[in-house]
């Protein structure tokens, strides 16, 4: 097989890249090691930055998001038994939209297939070769049969565990990691929304986050020990903890049947260089942020916006300038998102090793940010998404 851009991974990064390239007449093939059903059902992110929403709309795939997604002008922070609202719209002119990642995936897959795009699902043994030449290759197996794709560029959009990043020689990549002593237990519950906006709560027994998915399904998260197992968290224990961390005088969280639960650990990771030869890595393949800032999917989409523009510049003008700056443009913005995500994580989670003095400072920081126009504007600017600095 031959294509202009070989894309590994049908997550938000790979699918959006293929879509953007297609709109500019550039051909790509996506290789995905899971099935279509699996990628369309995996529960992950929920918050889309304004820039992500604008891109989906501008490229013709925002219709269902505009119908079913929920636009939030503000976000709430709860601590010391009080709630404080940050009006993002007023502070920045921008909003966030709550629309599940797997719905974005469904919309992108449908758009690619409808336009004749090629996504090969259920592949195995993907490996990359000749990435430092002008004709890189991807080897893989489909139904057990060995196949090869020759391409001009490879986009490694295969998440943290995919093979792309590992293909960059170890000496040429610097990997920086940080592990937080926190985990998130996430649930989907069948009940009506409890509150019109997201609530991030710092309670003395731990962090909790109230989010939503639809008028019928709600998404809640609890800070847990990252080594906890799901069988230690009965539904009763989850509801007791959630109520304790978010209920207030005269307000109680809606509960209902729990239809999904999972635990994730929290870490930051960044690979410094997102390019080697003709290989460009994007999204979680290149960086991971803790979910407290709601940035992961949005960073993946921003990366491929830069990459697509660089590839278009190459084919249109035979000019490599933007592609050569890809890594620098993206990592600068990724570091800012890392900082914001680490800040939100540290400010909102209960660190049980903290002294009473450190806990007091943490609450005072939340108080300072939410009670100052400058503080609230700063948080809101980052939350709704920073611009790409080309
Ligand atoms: P993905 O989504 O992991 O997609 C990578 C794809 O590559 C495939 N793959 C391979 N394919 C072929 N061969 C191989 N050898 C392969 N190895 C892997 C995988 O099957 C997969 O389909 O990466 P991408 O596209 O970079 O997207 C990143 C986002 O998925 C991720 O950052 C977000 O989900 C993070 N995240 C959030 N991001 C937000 O922007 N807003 C949020 O509100 C938000 N909330 C979250 C989150 C992540 C969470 N978890 C589960 C870690 C909440 C949670 C709980
Ligand atoms: C979600 O709705 O899944 C969600 C919301 C906010 C976050 C992370 C995840 O910070």
């Amino acid at each position: 097989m031959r294509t202009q851009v070989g894309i590994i991974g049908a997550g938000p990064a790979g699918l959006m890249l293929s879509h953007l390239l297609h709109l500019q007449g550039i051909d790509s093939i996506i290789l995905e090691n899971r099935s279509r059903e699996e990628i369309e059902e995996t529960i992950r992110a929920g918050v889309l930055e304004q820039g992500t929403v604008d891109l989906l709309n501008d490229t013709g795939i925002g219709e269902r998001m505009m119908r079913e997604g929920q636009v939030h002008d503000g976000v709430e922070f709860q601590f010391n038994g009080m709630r404080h609202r940050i009006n993002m719209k007023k502070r920045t002119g921008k909003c966030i939209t709550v629309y599940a990642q797997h719905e974005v995936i469904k919309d992108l897959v449908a758009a690619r297939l409808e336009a004749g795009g090629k996504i090969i699902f259920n592949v195995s043994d993907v490996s990359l070769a000749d990435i430092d030449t002008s004709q890189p290759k991807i080897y893989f197996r489909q139904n057990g049969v060995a196949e090869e794709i020759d391409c001009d560029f490879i986009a490694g959009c295969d998440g943290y565990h995919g093979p792309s990043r590992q293909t960059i020689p170890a000496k040429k990549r610097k990997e920086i990691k940080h592990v937080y002593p926190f985990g998130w237990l996430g649930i989907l519950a069948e009940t009506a929304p409890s509150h019109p906006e997201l609530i991030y709560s710092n309670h003395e027994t731990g962090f909790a986050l109230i989010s939503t998915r639809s008028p019928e399904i709600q998404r809640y998260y609890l800070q847990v020990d990252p080594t906890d197992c799901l069988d230690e968290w009965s539904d009763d224990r989850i509801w007791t903890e959630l109520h304790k961390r978010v209920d207030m005088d005269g307000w109680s969280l809606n509960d209902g049947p729990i239809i999904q639960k999972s635990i994730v650990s929290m870490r930051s990771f960044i690979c410094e260089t997102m390019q080697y030869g003709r290989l460009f890595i994007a999204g979680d393949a290149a960086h991971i942020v803790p979910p407290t800032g709601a940035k992961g999917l949005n960073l993946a989409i921003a990366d491929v916006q830069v990459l697509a523009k660089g590839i278009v510049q190459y084919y249109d003008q035979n000019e490599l300038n933007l592609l050569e700056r890809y890594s620098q443009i993206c990592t600068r913005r990724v570091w800012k998102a890392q900082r914001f995500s680490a800040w939100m994580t540290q400010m909102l989670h209960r660190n049980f090793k903290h002294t009473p003095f450190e806990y007091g400072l943490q609450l005072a920081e939340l108080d300072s940010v939410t009670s100052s126009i400058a503080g609230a504007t700063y948080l809101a600017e980052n939350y709704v998404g920073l611009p790409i600095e080309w």
Side-chain angles (χ1 to χ4, degrees):
M1 291 180 222
R2 147 114 210 126
T3 188
Q4 288 172 295
V5 183
I7 300 176
I8 308 172
L15 289 163
M16 180 52 103
L17 177 64
S18 178
H19 177 62
L20 293 174
L21 293 174
H22 162 72
L23 295 177
Q24 301 294 324
I26 298 168
D27 182 55
S28 66
I29 298 177
I30 305 180
L31 297 178
E32 168 58 52
N33 65 357
R34 294 187 296 159
S35 67
R36 178 174 178 182
E37 294 69 39
E38 221 179 314
I39 66 163
E40 291 188 342
E41 277 163 20
T42 306
I43 307 296
R44 293 187 80 171
V47 170
L48 306 184
E49 293 175 352
Q50 184 76 57
T52 303
V53 168
D54 292 345
L55 185 69
L56 290 166
N57 280 329
D58 294 347
T59 60
I61 31 175
E63 197 228 295
R64 200 163 65 92
M65 171 188 67
M66 294 310 283
R67 241 184 311 121
E68 296 175 15
Q70 301 167 51
V71 179
H72 289 190
D73 292 353
V75 55
E76 301 215 4
F77 291 87
Q78 181 172 335
F79 52 95
N80 284 336
M82 304 241 283
R83 283 207 193 129
H84 306 257
R85 178 171 190 264
I86 293 186
N87 188 330
M88 300 179 283
K89 181 90 181 275
K90 191 164 171 193
R91 298 284 151 243
T92 66
K94 295 178 187 166
C95 310
I96 54 129
T97 296
V98 182
Y99 186 63
Q101 175 167 337
H102 67 279
E103 304 296 348
V104 176
I105 297 276
K106 283 185 205 163
D107 297 342
L108 281 164
V109 169
R112 285 313 298 122
L113 296 180
E114 214 165 283
K118 192 156 189 188
I119 309 174
I120 310 178
F121 293 101
N122 299 308
V123 300
S124 61
D125 301 327
V126 173
S127 66
L128 300 76
D130 302 335
I131 56 172
D132 51 356
T133 73
S134 58
Q135 283 301 303
K137 295 177 185 57
I138 309 174
Y139 299 111
F140 64 102
R141 283 182 186 274
Q142 187 182 9
N143 303 320
V145 180
E147 304 274 4
E148 175 186 329
I149 302 179
D150 299 326
C151 30
D152 298 334
F153 298 100
I154 299 178
C157 303
D158 44 359
Y160 180 74
H161 299 287
S164 299
R165 186 181 66 255
Q166 317 292 338
T167 313
I168 302 177
K171 272 198 214 130
K172 301 283 179 187
R173 68 184 138 95
K174 182 166 150 204
E175 300 196 344
I176 302 166
K177 295 178 190 167
H178 179 77
V179 177
Y180 302 84
F182 314 123
W184 271 20
L185 188 160
I187 63 162
L188 287 176
E190 265 174 351
T191 181
S194 297
H195 194 66
E197 291 173 341
L198 268 60
I199 304 169
Y200 288 80
S201 171
N202 179 328
H203 187 264
E204 60 182 350
T205 59
F207 168 76
L209 168 59
I210 303 309
S211 181
T212 182
R213 282 297 178 269
S214 70
E216 297 82 28
I217 308 278
Q218 309 314 313
R219 180 73 163 151
Y220 303 148
Y221 296 98
L222 271 181
Q223 173 187 347
V224 297
D225 190 285
T227 61
D228 279 4
C229 304
L230 274 180
D231 49 18
E232 294 168 65
W233 284 91
S234 66
D235 292 6
D236 273 354
R237 184 176 175 206
I238 293 173
W239 289 121
T240 305
E241 239 5 86
L242 274 168
H243 281 296
K244 194 173 12 174
R245 297 183 195 184
V246 296
D247 282 3
M248 296 182 53
D249 284 348
W251 186 94
S252 180
L253 188 70
N254 291 338
D255 51 34
I258 295 179
I259 53 172
Q260 200 259 356
K261 51 179 159 175
S262 60
I263 293 180
V264 291
S265 58
M266 313 222 353
R267 66 207 153 103
S268 289
F269 166 80
I270 181 160
C271 177
E272 284 196 327
T273 197
M274 291 172 60
Q275 179 208 354
Y276 180 73
R278 290 289 182 107
L279 168 66
F280 295 81
I281 56 174
D284 279 13
H287 40 75
I288 301 282
V289 288
T292 331
K295 291 280 159 258
L297 174 150
N298 293 293
L299 286 174
I301 297 289
D303 286 351
V304 298
Q305 237 181 307
V306 178
L307 183 54
K309 220 172 178 163
I311 293 173
V312 170
Q313 192 187 59
Y314 169 80
Y315 285 114
D316 282 0
Q317 300 161 35
N318 199 23
E319 171 62 63
L320 280 166
N321 176 281
L322 200 48
L323 279 180
E324 281 166 0
R325 290 192 299 119
Y326 167 74
S327 190
Q328 182 208 325
I329 294 170
C330 293
T331 45
R332 181 175 175 200
R333 191 167 179 281
V334 169
W335 268 115
K336 290 187 188 179
Q338 289 287 9
R339 202 210 56 77
F340 176 68
S341 306
W343 179 56
M344 289 279 280
T345 302
Q346 279 149 13
M347 190 162 60
L348 285 158
H349 288 73
R350 185 74 171 96
N351 188 330
F352 296 103
K353 289 202 175 124
H354 272 179
T355 60
F357 180 72
E358 287 166 313
Y359 185 43
L361 289 183
Q362 191 191 32
L363 297 176
E365 183 166 20
L366 273 166
D367 201 4
S368 299
V369 171
T370 52
S371 61
S372 134
I373 290 182
T377 307
Y378 177 69
L379 189 146
E381 262 172 6
N382 281 272
Y383 195 67
V384 298
L386 298 174
I388 298 173
E389 291 166 280
W390 297 90

